[in-house]
Amino acid sequence: MATDTRFQNSRVYWLAFIVYWGIVLFGYDTGVGGGVVTQAYFESHFGLVNPDGTANTKKANDVSSNVVSVLQAGAFFGALGSAPISAALGRRWSLFSFTIIFAVGAVLQTIAGGSRGLGYIYAGRVIAGVGIGAISAVAPAYVSECSPKEVRGRITGLFQIMVAVGVMISYFINLGVSLHIPTGFAVWRIPFGFQLVPAGIMAFGLLTVKESPRWLASKGRIDEAIANLAYMRKLHPDDERVRSEMAEIEAAIVEEREARKGLGLREAFFGKGNFIRFVIAVVIFLLQQWGGQNSVNYYAPLIFKSIGYTGTSNSLLASGIYGIVKTVATALFVFFLVDSLGRKLSLFISSMGMGIMFFIIGALLKTHPPPGIPTADPPPASKAMAAMLYIYVCFYSMGWGPLPWVYVSDIFPTRTRHYGLATASASQWLFNFVLSKVTPDMVSDLGYKIFLMFATINIAGMATFSLLIPETKGRSLEEMDIIFGSVSVDQRRADIARQERALEHETRSEQSVEQKV
């Protein structure tokens, strides 16, 4: 059995670190748009104010929702298109290609201004969204396929840490620009141009990592698969632990091919034991998006203004603190709790805590609305609501933040993994698009009721769902077929034993040939 230490798995952690720079982009892009469009110079330059200089809330809401939501629209199509591309090119080179596509979109956003109007930002956000959506689908599959089951939850949970890091960076870059460069094209060119930094790190870093052993095995490139698996586990290719894990991978692939030979897309979605996995993947992201977190994430400055943090710098600073709390809470959970509490319990505690915090915020906002006249120092009730938001994001970070991606990565077999992750990611982006489009108007129109709505979804929907799904903690990817009824326990044991005998016979034959030579 592989040693469960970080040194033993250091190459897998390095791979996750490199691949998840794409997820930093995911977080950064989702956080940066809502902050840029609240800058006074951006609003005046692109005509989002009335002739007398007062705010045009309707126009500002429309542009804000467009800048944020067109990214999600592009990401929806990128996530869907990633499946056949990653199946053909492999996880590594498909990620490299998607990173280049993203960089093109980032350049278009950066050069907007003057004669190049909002159209450049919209087009750049759509193209960057295609790249981000594809990366968000392929990256967790790649990392999950390369991770040993003992630490898979922790390593795949890095996804959400990197999302939180990206969001936090976007908040503070917007805050820095607001404080030090309040006018000029740099107001949006610095935040949008910074996207090229993590994109470059990821592109060059991908040249230092190995292809997924599971993908190689699915293409019949067994020798390469064994070599890559041994490299990632820091073991010799003939080590019994490598051979045993390879036998399990091959057994699963053989079973899938034999049971579903010649069935295509229909088999992928409706094959034995598959449909329920796709239902779980779609519903888990539907609930995650409508649980309120991404409304706060994308429009943090707007949300904090709504509870009394007036002034661009005040709301951006409160957003930045929110980003720090989210990042630290996510990291603590992923590294110390994700593989001890289990998936179900973590999701349940998370959803109950989020719902309670939102109910408190809604009640405070109803009974203690912020003053109509802006003040330099937010009133006590506003500070209390901000504190509840910070506690809320701690609960989010211990469950519904990192675990949907971990859970979805857990449940799909190798043959349908890229379709499963693509469907999950596309669902996430589709619900993201709808939510990001309607959030500014909901904040303006609903007031305190928006928090009560999210609280109800947290407790009635998300907590209930958490109790209904099967536990996947400590189970290998190949064991998921047994959990979802695709194959029986006895059949799986027999297939593993047959593959082990075949590998043992192959090893003995090679040794016999070497001795004769």
Side-chain angles (χ1 to χ4, degrees), residues 98 167 200 207 366 380 414 493 510:
F98 298 140
V167 172
L207 303 178
K366 169 65 174 173
T414 307
R493 287 174 180 165
E510 289 174 356

Side-chain angles (χ1 to χ4, degrees), residues 337-359:
L337 294 175
V338 67
D339 284 321
S340 58
L341 287 179
R343 318 299 193 232
K344 287 168 64 82
L345 182 59
S346 295
L347 288 171
F348 179 76
I349 295 172
S350 174
S351 51
M352 292 299 294
M354 291 191 298
I356 291 168
M357 291 304 108
F358 269 151
F359 271 128

